[in-house]
Every structure is written in structure tokens, then in C-alpha cells.
Amino acid sequence: MLELKPALRMKKVRVSKPSGMNIGYRCSVTMIGITPEQSRAWRRRNLLRRQIVVFGTIAIVGALLVVLALPFASGLLSLPIGSSFSAEEVADPDLPPCVPEGAPPALEEIVANVLNGTTRGGLAQETAASLKEFGVSVGPVGNNPTGVYSGNVEIQAGRTGVANAYSLSRLFPGAVVVLTQRPSAQLDVILGEEFIGTITKDQWSAIDKKEPVSPLENCTPISEEEASSSDDS
């Protein structure tokens, strides 16, 4: 015997618009011939379809973002924003600053602090007195705040003091120049355990004061504007 399943029928009820009232029509839909279980299943299917659409869209957008980001993450492409870096920003911070071109500044234009990085008492005062004889203006004199320095002489300078540092280094054979974040052209001269003294006045007299300091092979480039602005600091 053929079994007939109940069919879904809809009954629409129309409500007339009352005269003189600005309201619309209302209609109600009554489902006839469907069981509560079928109604719940129908709602679940609709909910599942909506969830598939939402999560599927999210997955597709995420996959596209990953595909677009891969060339940049692998270094094949670079963003155009912020891609122009100066030489100082990409240089090796462990390298000394490069020697500025041109004649070094006169010793009379230099202000230097003298710090004793050894266990020898009075060394900073003696060296400060020697620097004054060469015409250098001496700032604070004292002990090195970071303790003992095992090297010879370290001259610390900000970007505007690099030219002054290399000019002063002519008085200290074997001195190294270290770049710091100091905004002024004032220098810190740190005397180390290997320090034996400055050159003599006779040796200084034999030096051509306008001859540029010999350039370094491996160094951190400093722009000409930064190197030449020490006179304004």
C-alpha cells in the first residue's frame, strides 16, 4: 500500500488596512502538515547553512591574507613605507664612526672630560693638565663611572663630536673613538690600564695640523651635516 507523507501547505491571512490609519498589511503564515521535529530540523539546516557561509568566508579571507603576506615575510618584496634608511641606521653598531673628511678641528675648539679608568691615582688630573697645555678645554675630571678600562684610551663622542674626537686622538697614539648618543660635541676621554701618556710638545709641533686624519677601512658612516655641525653645538 502506498504511504502518503503529509505535504507542507501555507495559509496566508490578509488583514485589510483600516481607513484613515497609516499602517501596512499584516499577514501570518501557518504551516500545516509539518511535525515539530521537522520544523526543528528545518531550522537547524538553515542555521547550519548560515554558519557554513560565515566561517567559509572567514577561512577564504584568512587564506588570501596569508598568501599576500608570504612574499613580504620571505623578503621577496618590501613595503614601500619606511624603506629608506640612512647609513647610520643599518651600520654595524660595534664599528667606530668613520673619520670626517677635511682638516680636523683645532684643539682649541675641543672640550673634553677626562676620566680615570685605571687603579692609578691622580692619572686623570695629570692628563687633564697635559691637555690644557695643548689648548684643549677640559671639563669634569674624575673616575670612570663604569669602572676599570683595560684598553689604552677610549674617546667617546656623539655624532656632532666625531670630528673633534679624531682631532683629539692625535694626542693619544692608539686611541679608539666610540660613537655615543650624546647630543653635544663635548668628549669623554677614558684612560685605560694600557695608557702611557700623550705625545710630547715636540711631536705635536711636527704634525701638520691641517692634514686630515687617516680614514678607517671598517667604520660607521656619519653624514656630512652631522659631522660638520660640531661647531654649532
Side-chain angles (χ1 to χ4, degrees), residues 137-214:
S137 298
V138 177
V141 178
N143 293 324
N144 183 27
T146 59
V148 174
Y149 173 54
S150 60
N152 178 12
V153 176
E154 179 177 288
I155 304 177
Q156 297 181 353
R159 296 183 184 275
T160 58
V162 172
N164 287 351
Y166 280 110
S167 178
L168 185 64
S169 69
R170 295 176 296 174
L171 299 180
F172 299 99
V176 295
V177 176
V178 175
L179 187 63
T180 68
Q181 298 301 319
R182 171 174 289 175
S184 69
Q186 192 165 344
L187 309 175
D188 280 343
V189 178
I190 301 176
L191 309 176
E193 293 285 2
E194 297 179 4
F195 174 63
I196 58 175
T198 63
I199 62 174
T200 65
K201 278 293 193 68
D202 292 337
Q203 290 172 322
W204 175 248
S205 299
I207 294 177
D208 183 357
K209 310 302 185 294
K210 302 211 172 174
E211 181 180 354
V213 178
S214 301

Side-chain angles (χ1 to χ4, degrees), residues 23-217:
I23 62 175
Y25 293 98
R26 291 184 179 179
C27 66
S28 62
V29 178
T30 303
M31 295 184 180
I32 303 174
I34 185 171
T35 65
E37 291 77 8
Q38 292 174 324
S39 177
R40 285 193 293 271
W42 178 77
R43 285 196 296 270
R44 284 195 298 268
R45 285 194 297 270
N46 281 344
L47 177 61
L48 181 59
R49 279 194 290 267
R50 288 195 295 270
Q51 290 175 340
I52 291 174
V53 171
V54 171
F55 291 115
T57 302
I58 294 175
I60 292 173
V61 172
L64 288 175
L65 291 176
V66 171
V67 171
L68 292 175
L70 282 177
F72 298 98
S74 61
L76 296 177
L77 295 176
S78 60
L79 292 174
I81 302 175
S83 59
S84 56
F85 296 102
S86 63
E88 298 85 352
E89 292 173 317
V90 297
D92 189 341
D94 295 330
L95 295 177
C98 293
V99 179
E101 297 180 356
L107 296 182
E108 291 76 12
E109 301 175 5
I110 299 174
V111 179
N113 311 321
V114 183
L115 305 174
N116 187 357
T118 74
T119 57
R120 290 177 278 172
L123 183 62
Q125 293 289 349
E126 295 174 5
T127 305
S130 298
L131 292 181
K132 290 178 182 178
E133 294 179 0
F134 286 102
V136 178
S137 298
V138 177
V141 178
N143 293 324
N144 183 27
T146 59
V148 174
Y149 173 54
S150 60
N152 178 12
V153 176
E154 179 177 288
I155 304 177
Q156 297 181 353
R159 296 183 184 275
T160 58
V162 172
N164 287 351
Y166 280 110
S167 178
L168 185 64
S169 69
R170 295 176 296 174
L171 299 180
F172 299 99
V176 295
V177 176
V178 175
L179 187 63
T180 68
Q181 298 301 319
R182 171 174 289 175
S184 69
Q186 192 165 344
L187 309 175
D188 280 343
V189 178
I190 301 176
L191 309 176
E193 293 285 2
E194 297 179 4
F195 174 63
I196 58 175
T198 63
I199 62 174
T200 65
K201 278 293 193 68
D202 292 337
Q203 290 172 322
W204 175 248
S205 299
I207 294 177
D208 183 357
K209 310 302 185 294
K210 302 211 172 174
E211 181 180 354
V213 178
S214 301
L216 303 175
E217 292 184 1

